[in-house]
């Protein structure tokens, strides 16, 4: 995917250089920032195709940057991949809830990072080719990347939106957690990720859609099904 701009916000110079080198080798244009403030400014000004964001940063931390970008209409659509040195479950959960599209725990392989970047960018592109899906008082407008409940927009994270869209598109069919991981997170089976991630996001999604959450049915030991009727 040449000509796409990736912004890397990371205060460890070695990691920043390693990521930059590998991304440029793949044909990406790379912007870098060593501090939180500069990174945030750059993200808002340059509108990169994707931001790679370290969690522990001087000035403003990664979680705060994530929150600010996702609250701003102009930057909400920019996908984020978080880098975390801590690797604690709590940080990952917070990051994903704030709308990060993915995360990687340090140390990571540049190859895997690039694979994930491409998966995220591919999903963003796929979104532009879609219609409005309806069920009860829910309307999922893929082109606008908006979910409406009784006509009012519901704020979903990127993953929650994608998850609901996948379930609605397959309405009436049971989708396994593995299938959802692959479709929504874009991972192939060789990459380790816990299927519990899916449950976590379904939980978050259900909370936001009130009574309509009954349409997302848990199919024991398999996965989930969306019921239109
Ligand atoms: Ca750091």
């Amino acid at each position: 995917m040449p000509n796409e701009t990736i912004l890397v916000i990371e205060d460890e110079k070695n990691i920043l250089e390693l990521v930059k080198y590998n991304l440029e080798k793949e044909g990406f244009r790379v912007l870098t920032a060593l501090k939180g403030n500069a990174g945030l400014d750059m993200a808002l000004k340059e509108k990169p195709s994707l931001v790679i964001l370290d969690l522990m940063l001087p000035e403003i931390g990664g979680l705060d940057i994530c929150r600010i970008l996702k609250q701003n209409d102009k930057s909400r659509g920019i996908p984020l991949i978080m880098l975390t040195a801590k690797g604690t479950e709590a940080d990952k959960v917070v990051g994903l809830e704030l709308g990060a599209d993915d995360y990687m725990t340090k140390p990571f392989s540049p190859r895997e990072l690039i694979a994930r970047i491409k998966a995220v960018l591919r999903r963003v592109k796929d979104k532009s080719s879609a219609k409005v899906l309806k069920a009860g008082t829910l309307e999922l407008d893929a082109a606008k990347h908006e979910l409406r409940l009784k006509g009012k927009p519901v704020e979903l994270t990127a993953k929650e939106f994608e998850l609901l869209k996948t379930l609605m598109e397959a309405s009436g069919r049971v989708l396994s957690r593995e299938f959802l991981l692959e479709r929504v997170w874009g991972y192939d089976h060789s990459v380790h990720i816990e299927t519990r991630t899916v449950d976590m996001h379904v939980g978050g999604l259900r909370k936001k859609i009130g009574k309509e959450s009954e349409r997302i049915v848990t199919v024991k030991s398999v996965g989930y099904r969306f019921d239109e009727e």
Side-chain angles (χ1 to χ4, degrees), residues 68-126:
I68 293 165
L69 290 176
K70 292 297 173 184
Q71 277 170 356
N72 188 326
D73 281 342
K74 286 176 192 154
S75 56
R76 181 172 298 149
I78 302 173
L80 296 171
I81 296 179
M82 294 203 322
L83 301 178
T84 153
K86 291 176 172 178
T88 69
E89 199 62 22
D91 287 324
K92 292 174 193 171
V93 171
V94 172
L96 294 170
E97 278 177 351
L98 287 174
D101 293 80
D102 206 347
Y103 62 81
M104 293 206 71
T105 307
K106 294 177 192 172
F108 54 85
S109 86
R111 246 182 87 196
E112 191 182 346
L113 178 64
I114 282 164
R116 294 205 188 184
I117 289 169
K118 287 183 176 173
V120 169
L121 290 174
R122 204 160 45 230
R123 286 200 303 277
V124 170
K125 275 198 187 117
D126 287 348

Side-chain angles (χ1 to χ4, degrees), residues 117-155:
I117 289 169
K118 287 183 176 173
V120 169
L121 290 174
R122 204 160 45 230
R123 286 200 303 277
V124 170
K125 275 198 187 117
D126 287 348
K127 277 173 197 163
S128 48
S129 59
K131 47 193 185 288
V132 179
L133 301 167
K134 292 177 188 174
T137 59
L138 284 179
E139 279 181 316
L140 187 137
D141 188 332
K144 284 188 182 167
H145 206 258
E146 186 176 88
L147 176 73
R148 293 181 292 268
L149 177 65
K150 297 176 188 165
K152 286 183 185 149
V154 180
E155 217 167 283

Side-chain angles (χ1 to χ4, degrees), residues 10-12 54 56-57 106:
E10 163 66 76
D11 62 323
E12 283 168 74
D54 186 30
M56 300 291 281
L57 288 166
K106 294 177 192 172

